[in-house]
Amino acid sequence: QVQLVESGGGLVQPGGSLTLSCVGYGFTISRYNMYWYRQTPGNERELVASISTSGGRLDYADSVKGRFTISRDNAKNTVYLQMNSLEPEDTGLYWCKASQTGRPVYSGRGTQVTVSS
């Protein structure tokens, strides 16, 4: 079955860190640009970070620059989102997406991140 499965979310205090993982099953993520999105409790959807197939191009939302790092391990069919200096505004459902021109688009169901004291 083709799917993306996220993990690593949880409850963390402000200033803390989490690392999210997204594993691809049934397809090879190395052929895809990968994206992390989030949806806040206010239902705002935001593209948080993206990484090219080779990992040579990284892009971040202004709101997370300098705090979040996206990376990938194609050998493990996994993409990561390292999140540092977390703020309450980072609370939301985080999910990954695989997209590439000419190929099907895949999205995971997400993992919840809650930043609260």
Side-chain angles (χ1 to χ4, degrees):
Q1 183 178 0
V2 176
Q3 58 180 341
L4 289 166
V5 179
E6 301 91 344
S7 62
L11 174 63
V12 63
Q13 292 187 343
S17 298
L18 284 174
T19 299
L20 307 183
S21 300
C22 168
V23 181
Y25 296 94
F27 75 106
T28 303
I29 73 162
S30 63
R31 299 173 180 173
Y32 290 80
N33 297 320
M34 298 297 295
Y35 305 82
W36 280 101
Y37 286 85
R38 67 184 179 188
Q39 185 157 352
T40 66
N43 283 327
E44 292 185 5
R45 184 171 295 191
E46 182 179 26
L47 173 58
V48 175
S50 64
I51 185 168
S52 61
T53 53
S54 66
R57 176 166 180 165
L58 311 177
D59 290 296
Y60 298 93
D62 287 343
S63 58
V64 306
K65 279 180 182 176
R67 300 188 298 121
F68 290 13
T69 302
I70 188 171
S71 62
R72 66 192 299 160
D73 186 338
N74 288 336
K76 294 183 178 179
N77 226 36
T78 302
V79 64
Y80 304 96
L81 187 67
Q82 172 69 44
M83 306 185 295
N84 298 325
S85 302
L86 283 162
E87 304 167 353
E89 292 74 21
D90 296 316
T91 294
L93 181 69
Y94 286 71
W95 72 94
C96 61
K97 185 176 84 170
S99 179
Q100 188 65 288
T101 303
R103 298 185 183 274
V105 176
Y106 303 115
S107 292
R109 293 187 176 185
T111 184
Q112 179 67 35
V113 172
T114 302
V115 184
S116 175
S117 56

